[in-house]
């Protein structure tokens, strides 16, 4: 099964640390959502998604144990089944979205989260326009 990641879990080092292996990955696009930084985390906004134009990310091939582990270590997120595009094909994938009680739209984005996202986006070869958007977001919060 697929897990769509759009935040810090795109960083291959973080993914390897959590999954104890480097999972098989493919570039994917989640239509109808956009990345925001409104999940509470240490006083700053961690990555989340909300309705929008679409978000680039990566799908990892995972199993039930992987998802159960993520459920345990990410208690402020809930898992949802969504439809993503992988090489133009529509596929189902799990995605983690912040639980409403942990969303705060007045938070500033966490720089370290954006840095990990940029690292992962470059590593996986996400579109240059998306990487540029992340880099401009990082510059805007200096």
């Amino acid at each position: 099964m697929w897990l769509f990641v759009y935040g810090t879990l795109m960083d291959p080092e973080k993914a390897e640390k959590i999954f104890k292996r480097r999972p098989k990955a493919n570039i994917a696009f989640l239509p109808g959502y956009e990345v925001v930084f409104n999940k509470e985390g240490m006083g700053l906004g961690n990555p989340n998604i909300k309705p929008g134009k679409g978000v680039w990310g990566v799908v990892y091939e995972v199993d039930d144990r992987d998802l159960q582990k993520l459920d345990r270590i990410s208690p402020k997120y809930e898992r949802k089944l969504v439809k993503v595009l992988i090489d133009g094909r529509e596929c189902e994938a799990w995605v983690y979205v912040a639980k409403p009680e942990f969303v705060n739209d007045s938070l500033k984005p966490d720089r370290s989260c954006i840095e990990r996202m940029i690292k992962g986006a470059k590593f996986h070869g996400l579109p240059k326009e998306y990487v540029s958007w992340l880099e401009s977001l990082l510059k805007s919060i200096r």
Side-chain angles (χ1 to χ4, degrees):
M1 73 186 87
W2 294 113
L3 170 67
F4 179 78
V5 298
Y6 56 88
T8 60
L9 204 48
M10 286 195 300
D11 177 350
E13 290 175 12
K14 181 172 182 176
E16 191 168 2
K17 184 176 178 182
I18 289 173
F19 295 118
K20 305 298 184 217
R21 69 185 190 292
R22 190 153 295 170
K24 179 183 175 199
N26 290 298
I27 295 172
F29 184 75
L30 176 60
Y33 289 88
E34 67 181 82
V35 173
V36 291
F37 294 85
N38 65 357
K39 201 282 279 163
E40 293 178 349
M42 307 296 284
L44 295 169
N46 289 347
N48 190 22
I49 55 174
K50 70 174 188 176
K53 294 180 183 178
V55 59
W56 287 98
V58 176
V59 287
Y60 290 135
E61 198 171 291
V62 295
D63 59 27
D64 284 325
R65 285 178 309 191
D66 295 325
L67 293 176
Q68 290 167 3
K69 182 176 187 177
L70 286 171
D71 290 344
R72 278 193 315 277
I73 65 173
S74 305
K76 294 182 179 181
Y77 286 90
E78 58 190 356
R79 187 169 18 126
K80 291 177 57 173
L81 197 58
V82 294
K83 293 188 187 297
V84 298
L85 298 174
I86 305 170
D87 293 326
R89 289 187 344 259
E90 190 175 80
C91 302
E92 285 192 336
W94 291 105
V95 66
Y96 283 83
V97 180
K99 292 178 181 177
E101 61 267 29
F102 299 108
V103 170
N104 178 345
D105 289 320
S106 67
L107 296 171
K108 261 179 81 172
D110 183 328
R111 291 181 52 79
S112 67
C113 289
I114 298 170
E115 290 167 349
R116 278 190 184 260
M117 290 171 69
I118 291 168
K119 179 181 176 184
K122 287 179 176 179
F123 177 85
H124 293 291
L126 296 189
K128 288 180 180 158
E129 298 81 14
Y130 190 69
V131 175
S132 294
W133 175 76
L134 288 170
E135 290 171 337
S136 67
L137 181 62
L138 183 63
K139 287 178 187 170
S140 74
I141 59 170
R142 287 190 176 176

